[in-house]
């Protein structure tokens, strides 16, 4: 059974930084594509960053470029999202996602992922 567990969320002031982690276990470990999504209240879930596992090939949402960095541990069982220069509009629930099926990667489309975590809350105050 696939399991993704996020951690590292919290409350920070604008301009601050956070590092999110996602522990990947079970069948999700065979995933070749990994990503971070976020969902603010009343809004659609949107892709933030995606990574082709085992490489540095990544894609970022325009809002994340230059501020966020997606990476993975050397054993590929932990996914990270380093977030710098945080803004109030970054406030959302952040989700880790992986895709263990064949498909295009990196991708910021939520339909391309078949494993999801429960999320970790990020709140940025002005």
């Amino acid at each position: 059974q696939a399991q993704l567990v996020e951690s590292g969320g919290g409350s920070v002031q604008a301009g601050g930084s956070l590092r999110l982690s996602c522990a990947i276990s079970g069948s999700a470990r065979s995933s070749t594509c990994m990503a971070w999504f976020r969902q603010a209240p009343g809004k659609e879930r949107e892709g933030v960053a995606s990574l082709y596992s085992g490489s540095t090939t990544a894609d970022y949402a325009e809002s994340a470029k230059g501020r966020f960095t997606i990476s993975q541990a050397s054993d590929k069982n932990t996914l990270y999202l380093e977030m710098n220069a945080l803004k109030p509009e970054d406030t959302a629930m952040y989700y880790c996602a992986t895709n263990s099926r064949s498909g295009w990667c990196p991708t910021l489309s939520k339909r391309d992922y078949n494993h999801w975590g429960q999320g970790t809350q990020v709140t940025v105050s002005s």
Side-chain angles (χ1 to χ4, degrees):
Q1 186 173 356
Q3 188 172 19
L4 306 177
V5 180
E6 302 95 335
S7 62
S11 297
V12 295
Q13 291 192 324
S17 299
L18 281 174
R19 188 193 198 198
L20 306 183
S21 298
C22 173
I24 302 168
S25 60
S27 58
R29 286 185 174 177
S30 65
S31 298
T32 56
C33 199
M34 304 177 173
W36 288 95
F37 287 77
R38 68 185 182 186
Q39 187 168 19
K43 294 189 175 181
E44 291 287 321
R45 188 170 299 190
E46 62 175 356
V48 175
S50 173
L51 176 71
Y52 183 70
S53 183
S55 78
T56 58
T57 302
D59 192 19
Y60 294 89
E62 283 299 320
S63 59
K65 288 180 180 178
R67 299 188 300 128
F68 294 4
T69 303
I70 188 170
S71 64
Q72 65 183 159
S74 56
D75 64 4
K76 303 179 186 177
N77 293 330
T78 306
L79 184 69
Y80 302 106
L81 184 68
E82 186 76 35
M83 304 186 294
N84 298 311
L86 283 162
K87 305 175 182 179
E89 50 264 44
D90 295 318
T91 295
M93 185 72 78
Y94 283 71
Y95 298 91
C96 173
T98 70
N99 179 31
S100 57
R101 305 162 301 187
S102 59
W104 185 260
C105 187
T107 172
L108 297 177
S109 174
K110 56 182 182 287
R111 65 185 177 187
D112 291 330
Y113 296 88
N114 61 337
H115 302 301
W116 292 87
Q118 294 300 306
T120 185
Q121 178 68 37
V122 172
T123 303
V124 185
S125 58
S126 58

